Amino acid sequence: MPAIDRMNEDVVLIVDDVPENLSLLYDALDEAGYAVLVATNGESALQRARQSLPDVILLDAVMPGMDGFEVARQLKADADTQRIPIIFMTGLTETEHVVAAFAAGSTDYLTKPIRPSEVLARIAAHVQSARQTQQARSVLDAYGQACVSMRPTDGALLWQTPLARTLLLKYGGPDQQSLVSRIHAWLHIAVASPPPPATLEIMGEEGRMVCALHGLTEEGECLLVLHEESDAAMTKVLVEAFRLTLREAEVLYWVIYGKTNRDIGDILGISHRTINKHLENLFEKLGVETRTAAAAVAMRRLQLPAQTETKKP
């Protein structure tokens, strides 16, 4: 099999146990410029999907052994393959079979007999949608945003940015099921609440993880934004966001919570005059002139609510 050029070719995995279907689809997709992989049973489909990570999967619903529904469930349960769009191909048009397909993780479905022109149109649409979604995730990754997409019906995690994955591991441990179940239970209430929804706070040994509902996608997925609140974590964010020294970030952190210069001096063990010098420097770096303005800029960067200043003891 020739090497796949991932830079110039979209990859389609066809899973079907009928040679005539494979031949028809292979020829149509190959002529349209796709790189085509094939599998004739569920086990080989899972193996090839995990090895090649295709851009879209055409999946036959009814096959001997492992059927398409089980293949889809396993693909969606795997973090490496859960993002791949799955288009079911089936002659089963009864409502319960269509529902089962979507419940298993299908993005779309086609009824047999397969019409190549319709297949090409569906694939093009889903590949483009998946590419745009991936670009959005890449932007979130680049800006260090901790974001999670969760399906509200069953609490399945559809994707996470690297920072979100780190936070979920930190606050949920290797087996994150308990944490995910708690987030799902909160999400069920948050979706039904009038905006803005309440946040969920997960306490840890060194701080807390705050989970907020950012919005719903067109596909009905819930986009959650996570951030960590702890003295050390938030100070680190301020250092990196505004190019502050560690001491300047510590001063700004306590300004956010409404502490006076005397309070900050006592907390950090430095003089009031030194606090003033640090404030002058960070005001210049933030482009502000007052403590209130500095606190507002920092709170927006830390995604803290406006009432934060009154909460910190």
Side-chain angles (χ1 to χ4, degrees), residues 16-29:
D16 200 315
D17 64 317
V18 179
E20 292 78 8
N21 292 340
L22 287 175
S23 179
L24 175 68
L25 291 168
Y26 187 99
D27 290 345
L29 291 166

Side-chain angles (χ1 to χ4, degrees), residues 8-60:
N8 299 305
E9 294 179 309
D10 292 316
V11 181
V12 179
L13 171 61
I14 308 171
V15 186
D16 200 315
D17 64 317
V18 179
E20 292 78 8
N21 292 340
L22 287 175
S23 179
L24 175 68
L25 291 168
Y26 187 99
D27 290 345
L29 291 166
D30 182 64
E31 184 176 347
Y34 291 98
V36 185
L37 303 174
V38 298
T40 57
N41 57 65
E43 290 77 8
S44 62
L46 292 173
Q47 181 181 8
R48 295 202 172 185
R50 290 161 179 162
Q51 288 176 341
S52 61
L53 299 180
D55 295 286
V56 66
I57 298 174
L58 291 175
L59 179 59
D60 187 19

Side-chain angles (χ1 to χ4, degrees), residues 50-259:
R50 290 161 179 162
Q51 288 176 341
S52 61
L53 299 180
D55 295 286
V56 66
I57 298 174
L58 291 175
L59 179 59
D60 187 19
V62 179
M63 296 183 293
M66 183 187 299
D67 64 19
F69 301 112
E70 180 59 26
V71 172
R73 282 190 286 268
Q74 292 197 30
L75 289 173
K76 292 303 177 180
D78 188 325
D80 292 331
T81 57
Q82 62 185 195
R83 304 177 186 179
I84 303 172
I86 298 174
I87 302 176
F88 266 94
M89 302 180 296
T90 178
L92 306 174
T93 57
E94 290 82 359
T95 301
E96 62 265 28
H97 294 133
V98 175
V99 171
F102 284 107
S106 171
T107 305
D108 201 349
Y109 77 98
L110 296 163
T111 56
K112 295 181 178 180
I114 297 298
R115 294 174 289 276
S117 59
E118 183 180 0
V119 173
L120 292 173
R122 299 286 184 92
I123 287 177
H126 290 300
V127 167
Q128 178 64 20
S129 177
R131 183 178 293 114
Q132 291 174 344
T133 301
Q134 182 57 46
Q135 289 172 346
R137 291 171 188 156
S138 297
V139 170
L140 293 172
D141 291 348
Y143 283 91
Q145 296 296 310
C147 297
V148 171
S149 176
M150 176 176 281
R151 190 162 55 222
T153 52
D154 59 4
L157 293 181
L158 304 176
W159 57 266
Q160 313 120 53
T161 62
L163 182 54
R165 192 173 295 113
T166 298
L167 288 178
L168 291 173
L169 180 62
K170 180 176 180 179
Y171 285 86
D175 180 9
Q176 300 171 15
Q177 188 54 50
S178 177
L179 174 60
V180 171
S181 296
R182 184 175 174 187
I183 294 175
H184 180 225
W186 164 81
L187 180 62
H188 180 73
I189 299 173
V191 169
S193 301
T199 58
L200 172 67
E201 298 181 358
I202 307 293
M203 300 305 298
E205 295 180 0
E206 301 176 357
R208 60 182 179 174
M209 182 183 75
V210 180
C211 179
L213 174 60
H214 180 73
L216 299 174
T217 69
E218 293 181 358
E219 295 77 19
E221 301 171 7
C222 293
L223 182 62
L224 308 176
V225 178
L226 314 177
H227 72 270
E228 185 176 31
E229 292 186 359
S230 72
D231 296 353
M234 296 172 73
T235 299
K236 181 180 178 181
V237 171
L238 294 174
V239 168
E240 296 174 351
F242 303 115
R243 297 184 178 180
L244 305 178
T245 66
L246 178 59
R247 186 60 84 187
E248 289 167 354
E250 290 173 336
V251 170
L252 179 57
Y253 174 76
W254 291 110
V255 167
I256 290 173
Y257 290 103
K259 299 299 184 181

Side-chain angles (χ1 to χ4, degrees), residues 275-294:
I275 298 295
N276 283 329
K277 184 62 178 178
H278 287 312
L279 284 172
E280 290 175 6
N281 292 338
L282 66 88
F283 283 176
E284 181 178 353
K285 292 179 180 180
L286 270 62
V288 300
E289 298 182 357
T290 66
R291 295 166 63 97
T292 300

